[in-house]
Amino acid sequence: MNDTSDATATTTAITTTATAAEPVRFDTKIAVLLREDLETWQRLNVTAFLVSGLATQLPEVIGEPYEDADGVGYLPMFRQPVLVFEGTKEMLTTAHARVLSRALPRAVFTSDLFTTGNDRDNRAAVRAVSTGELDLVGLAVYGPRNAVDKVMKGARMHP
């Protein structure tokens, strides 16, 4: 390698490092709204289920696979943070109406899903209830930041 190649490689490394250190501001947002009266285990379970729905249908939310220093590979995850909010049952109903009116990608979790034990029964439980009668305990949404902010208006960040 000559001096010019070394200098180019060093400059490239510095540029990459400087760029990586700058904060990334996404023009989209992933948000989860949980009903405030859920038990801790329910909050975790609902959040995991909801965000899995977004990941399956929106490939643009998934980043690159991970690899540790020994070359062991790991699955890719979301490319951006997931913001978790909480609110009342009424807040969930309002947010659900907002997300539907904006036609944003969404996932729902109803109280009935705590009593089922598999995907088939989960889907049947949601299908059995009309949209306006769903007993929502969680909602996940993805879309432009401003639109997601409007859906989550009035909700508070999860403690």
Side-chain angles (χ1 to χ4, degrees):
M1 215 181 221
N2 62 35
D3 290 339
T4 307
S5 296
D6 289 343
T8 302
T10 301
T11 302
T12 302
I14 291 169
T15 303
T16 304
T17 303
T19 303
E22 294 175 16
V24 176
R25 183 158 167 91
F26 295 99
D27 55 356
T28 58
K29 188 177 272 188
I30 300 170
V32 173
L33 177 58
L34 301 172
R35 203 165 75 193
E36 64 188 0
D37 61 348
L38 297 179
E39 298 290 332
T40 301
W41 73 266
Q42 291 173 317
R43 291 170 186 253
L44 296 170
N45 185 268
V46 170
T47 301
F49 268 90
L50 288 171
V51 297
S52 73
L54 296 177
T56 63
Q57 296 299 305
L58 303 162
E60 69 270 20
V61 302
I62 304 298
E64 297 297 319
Y66 288 75
E67 186 176 293
D68 66 25
D70 295 322
V72 176
Y74 303 94
L75 295 172
M77 296 184 278
F78 289 128
R79 66 183 179 98
Q80 65 190 91
V82 175
L83 301 172
V84 181
F85 297 87
E86 71 174 6
T88 63
K89 181 176 182 171
E90 294 76 23
M91 167 64 59
L92 268 159
T93 300
T94 300
H96 185 241
R98 290 175 183 157
V99 78
L100 293 177
S101 72
R102 287 170 174 75
L104 295 171
R106 70 250 170 213
V108 296
F109 198 104
T110 67
S111 62
D112 295 330
L113 302 187
F114 290 127
T115 63
T116 60
N118 61 73
D119 185 53
R120 183 193 69 235
D121 292 341
N122 285 349
R123 286 182 284 110
V126 173
R127 188 179 305 113
V129 181
S130 65
T131 304
E133 299 302 315
L134 292 171
D135 185 15
L136 298 168
V137 297
L139 171 72
V141 60
Y142 171 75
R145 266 194 334 250
N146 290 344
V148 173
D149 287 345
K150 288 178 182 175
V151 168
M152 295 292 161
K153 184 178 178 183
R156 60 191 173 279
M157 289 296 291
H158 189 281

